[in-house]
Amino acid sequence: MKYETFRKQVIDVLIEMGQVRKGMFKPEAVELICMICAHESLGGVLRVQMGGGPARGVLQIEPDTHDSIWDNSDTIAQTSSALGITRDWSHVEDGDRYSIFLARHLIAMDPHPIPDDVLGMGAYAKRVWNTEAGKATAARYVSDWIAWQAGEL
């Protein structure tokens, strides 16, 4: 998938969410979600985790993360109802809108603001999305995002 195609989809979903819940659309959230996609699925190429792991979709969401977002987000009930989105793990693998929706809620659950600089976003992606237990690095999030934008992924 091309970077601009996915970025447009992220913008559309976040604008839609922002019409229901103030603050959901933020330019830095758009870029952060694109950065996560670049690294986690090589820009939407991988829909199933390499090595047989449980993660799925363009953002490589794991079942436990999916359930945690639905169980713990303070904003998901309002936005899901208004947008006609229902909790369904089976939508993650091929439902980019659903994955973007979930990612934005997970990001909204973090008390820290999304950085507006590339290196800060890489560190944020590592901390919030990949966590300390994950194999990714902040630098890899950044380099994959830059490569995707340049058409090199």
Side-chain angles (χ1 to χ4, degrees):
M1 172 182 338
K2 292 185 181 260
Y3 168 78
E4 284 302 326
T5 302
F6 184 74
R7 185 175 183 276
K8 172 79 167 89
Q9 188 173 17
V10 174
I11 290 168
D12 290 347
V13 173
L14 269 53
I15 286 173
E16 187 179 18
M17 293 173 72
Q19 291 171 345
V20 177
R21 182 85 180 187
K22 185 179 178 185
M24 293 306 259
F25 177 82
K26 293 183 178 179
E28 58 271 24
V30 171
E31 296 309 327
L32 177 62
I33 292 170
C34 288
M35 182 181 282
I36 292 167
C37 180
H39 175 73
E40 296 293 339
S41 69
L42 302 177
V45 172
L46 304 174
R47 297 293 177 137
V48 175
Q49 186 174 356
M50 292 175 59
R56 298 288 184 268
V58 292
L59 300 172
Q60 293 292 289
I61 298 171
E62 295 185 358
D64 289 346
T65 302
H66 172 272
D67 292 345
S68 178
I69 295 166
W70 277 101
D71 293 342
N72 298 301
S73 172
D74 293 337
T75 57
I76 204 163
Q78 178 189 24
T79 53
S80 63
S81 176
L83 301 179
I85 295 174
T86 57
R87 182 178 183 158
D88 188 342
W89 166 251
S90 71
H91 293 307
V92 172
E93 190 169 328
D94 294 312
D96 297 353
R97 178 178 181 251
Y98 187 72
S99 292
I100 293 163
F101 173 84
L102 291 174
R104 184 62 186 103
H105 282 288
L106 179 65
I107 293 163
M109 291 166 63
D110 185 65
H112 304 288
I114 303 167
D116 59 4
D117 65 286
V118 175
L119 296 178
M121 276 194 266
Y124 189 96
K126 169 60 183 165
R127 181 180 59 80
V128 174
W129 195 261
N130 190 255
T131 74
E132 291 178 9
K135 294 179 183 178
T137 64
R140 188 64 187 261
Y141 274 103
V142 171
S143 65
D144 287 344
W145 182 62
I146 290 169
W148 192 25
Q149 287 178 315
E152 297 172 1
L153 268 188

